[in-house]
Amino acid sequence: MEQQQEINRPITVIGLGGAGVKIIGRLAALPHAAHLKLLAVDTDSGVLERSPLESGRKFLADEKWRQGKGCGGNVLEGQRSISRERGNIEDLVSGSSLLLIACGLGGGTATGGVAAFAGIAKKLNIPSIFIATMPFSLEGRSKRRIAENGVKELLPVADVLLYLPNDLLFTRLSGDTPVEKAFEMADMEVARTIIGVSEIISHNNLLPASLADIKEALKKQKSSAGIGVGTADSSDGLNRNHIALQRMLDSPLLGGIEKLQDADTVIVSLTGGKDLKIDETKKTLEAFGKFVHPECNLIVGANTAENYGEQVQITAIAIKFDTQPLPAENTGTNGFNAPETKKNEEKPKLDLFGAELEQAELPLQNISRGIFLNTTPVIHQGEDLDVPTFQRKGIIIDKG
Ligand SMILES: Nc1nc2c(ncn2[C@@H]2O[C@H](COP(=O)(O)OP(=O)(O)OP(=O)(O)O)[C@@H](O)[C@H]2O)c(=O)[nH]1
Ligand SMILES: [Mg+2]
């Protein structure tokens, strides 16, 4: 009964800020996103006008103060704008079974607004997954710093945060690729990742993997994540599953096969049309299993969706835990704010669909290092020197 209710509650995907709105636009064009409720939220009216979403799905935030002109890279304005719209946003998302928020960090609206979204999700008892891109290196250090600050503010309040360095895409692009094209590719990768993530936890699975499984696997540990998506259809020949697998392994945001081999937890899902057979699914997932470490916690999901026709998609999320435990206090050591925890805390409630999440309790959280994936943190006297002065000065971010 409860499960039936969940099936009827939509997964809502919100594109926040300029990049988020473009990602949602890409998503809207993909038939496999038909089951998702899409919303575009920005302070920039031009960005929303250019979005292919129908007008009822676009929300211009804080028109009174921003006058549809965006936040011009000002994070504080972004925070204010989204906070002012809290009531309206609650109305837009209430009743959802899950919120997936997609954005590019580095500007004002999304970087400032994400924490308020996490707060809204918590208040409404809706699990939240954030999928955020980090700026391209060529955008410069200050953008990157803004994005890093955004990540650090979001980590303690998001249920799951997957952040993806846009730079990884360059590993697959030739040097003369125009930036616009690189963005387009990033948008498509993120859009497909969103579909993959939503399908990993969808309800009509052949093999069940739920958000509760994912959160259980992630626990409260800091981790880094890589995401691979590969699709293939019948035009790729009889071996479409293996071709999809190969494409997933080559997928730029995964960061290479070694990310799978290194991972502590890997979540993999395969989605196909109604003709997807259990034994081909099994074979593919077995083949996939060879790429991960034997000790790895492998969470597998497989499901069918009518609109896939002869297409298959394989999505993998490779998670590597940081070896250092989370600090007990919210000290911000190692570059991250620890989530607030209760002393003698009870076992967290894992049944997220319909379960209660208490405000001060962050049961399970994925903390990924994204753009820091390949860097060694500079630790001095137990502190990560990458912690920005912004945070040391204690600027308060509205977390709802
Ligand atoms: N993948 C992708 N990333 C983008 C795109 N446009 C911008 N970005 C990235 O997203 C970051 C934030 O930019 P925007 O989304 O435009 O910023 P915003 O949240 O709208 O903030 P303001 O415009 O300052 O209000 C940039 O630093 C880029 O790294 C895009 O089209 N695709
Ligand atoms: Mg903008």
Side-chain angles (χ1 to χ4, degrees), residues 8 19 31 59 83 87 105 112 146 150 165 168-169 194 206 232 241 254 316 321 340 354 362 386 393-394:
N8 296 332
F59 180 67
S83 295
L105 295 178
I146 288 170
L168 272 182
L169 286 161
I194 289 168
L206 295 175
N241 284 11
L254 181 64
F321 296 125
E340 290 172 43
L362 194 71
D386 240 341
K393 284 181 183 162

Side-chain angles (χ1 to χ4, degrees), residues 16-23 42-44 47 69-75 78 103-112 133-136 139 143 147 166 169 180 182-188 190:
L16 179 61
V21 171
K22 282 192 209 151
I23 290 165
D42 200 359
T43 52
D44 186 326
V47 167
K69 293 182 181 147
C71 292
N74 186 324
V75 177
C103 63
L105 295 178
T109 302
T111 316
T133 64
M134 299 297 280
F136 288 103
E139 292 183 77
K143 279 255 174 202
N166 269 340
L169 286 161
E180 200 51 32
F183 274 149
E184 253 179 63
M185 288 190 58
D187 296 347
M188 189 50 92
V190 179

Side-chain angles (χ1 to χ4, degrees), residues 62-208:
D62 202 19
E63 188 175 10
K64 183 171 169 208
W65 292 93
R66 309 268 23 110
Q67 296 170 335
K69 293 182 181 147
C71 292
N74 186 324
V75 177
L76 281 172
E77 291 301 346
Q79 272 172 43
R80 287 188 188 129
S81 292
I82 299 302
S83 295
R84 284 185 190 116
E85 299 289 5
R86 189 167 275 143
N88 287 327
I89 293 170
E90 283 178 15
D91 291 345
L92 284 171
V93 304
S94 72
S96 306
S97 60
L98 171 72
L99 289 186
L100 267 159
I101 294 113
C103 63
L105 295 178
T109 302
T111 316
V114 275
F117 268 88
I120 289 166
K122 256 191 189 166
K123 181 178 170 198
L124 298 179
N125 247 331
I126 305 171
S128 61
I129 299 182
F130 291 79
I131 300 182
T133 64
M134 299 297 280
F136 288 103
S137 299
L138 59 80
E139 292 183 77
R141 288 182 70 87
S142 90
K143 279 255 174 202
R144 182 179 147 162
R145 191 154 300 136
I146 288 170
E148 287 166 8
N149 289 338
V151 166
K152 285 164 190 165
E153 293 306 324
L154 185 55
L155 284 172
V157 284
D159 286 328
V160 173
L161 167 58
L162 298 167
Y163 59 101
L164 312 168
N166 269 340
D167 269 343
L168 272 182
L169 286 161
F170 275 133
T171 59
R172 309 281 154 170
L173 298 179
S174 69
D176 56 358
T177 309
V179 175
E180 200 51 32
K181 174 84 189 147
F183 274 149
E184 253 179 63
M185 288 190 58
D187 296 347
M188 189 50 92
E189 284 294 312
V190 179
R192 294 196 309 157
T193 300
I194 289 168
I195 291 177
V197 170
S198 75
E199 273 160 3
I200 284 175
I201 55 177
S202 81
H203 284 276
N204 58 338
N205 284 353
L206 295 175
L207 293 168

Side-chain angles (χ1 to χ4, degrees), residues 115-311:
F117 268 88
I120 289 166
K122 256 191 189 166
K123 181 178 170 198
L124 298 179
N125 247 331
I126 305 171
S128 61
I129 299 182
F130 291 79
I131 300 182
T133 64
M134 299 297 280
F136 288 103
S137 299
L138 59 80
E139 292 183 77
R141 288 182 70 87
S142 90
K143 279 255 174 202
R144 182 179 147 162
R145 191 154 300 136
I146 288 170
E148 287 166 8
N149 289 338
V151 166
K152 285 164 190 165
E153 293 306 324
L154 185 55
L155 284 172
V157 284
D159 286 328
V160 173
L161 167 58
L162 298 167
Y163 59 101
L164 312 168
N166 269 340
D167 269 343
L168 272 182
L169 286 161
F170 275 133
T171 59
R172 309 281 154 170
L173 298 179
S174 69
D176 56 358
T177 309
V179 175
E180 200 51 32
K181 174 84 189 147
F183 274 149
E184 253 179 63
M185 288 190 58
D187 296 347
M188 189 50 92
E189 284 294 312
V190 179
R192 294 196 309 157
T193 300
I194 289 168
I195 291 177
V197 170
S198 75
E199 273 160 3
I200 284 175
I201 55 177
S202 81
H203 284 276
N204 58 338
N205 284 353
L206 295 175
L207 293 168
S210 68
L211 186 61
D213 290 338
I214 296 172
K215 297 192 83 184
E216 168 64 15
L218 297 176
K219 291 274 169 48
K220 282 183 184 172
Q221 298 185 57
K222 291 194 295 178
S223 60
S224 55
I227 295 183
V229 185
T231 55
D233 59 30
S234 54
S235 67
D236 291 303
L238 288 176
N239 242 342
R240 57 179 186 172
N241 284 11
H242 282 88
I243 290 169
L245 181 58
Q246 188 56 52
R247 288 179 182 156
M248 187 277 289
L249 295 171
D250 288 340
S251 182
L253 292 175
L254 181 64
I257 291 179
E258 57 285 1
K259 284 280 180 303
L260 287 174
Q261 287 157 350
D262 272 1
D264 297 305
T265 288
V266 173
I267 301 156
V268 61
S269 93
L270 188 147
T271 307
K274 289 288 174 206
D275 66 335
L276 185 70
K277 306 276 184 320
I278 190 78
D279 37 329
E280 64 171 330
T281 303
K282 250 183 83 189
K283 270 191 202 142
T284 312
L285 294 172
E286 272 165 21
F288 175 83
K290 301 206 171 87
F291 292 96
V292 305
H293 193 274
E295 298 291 309
C296 162
N297 175 19
L298 185 59
I299 298 175
V300 172
N303 66 317
T304 57
E306 230 155 80
N307 57 8
Y308 268 68
E310 294 180 326
Q311 201 170 43

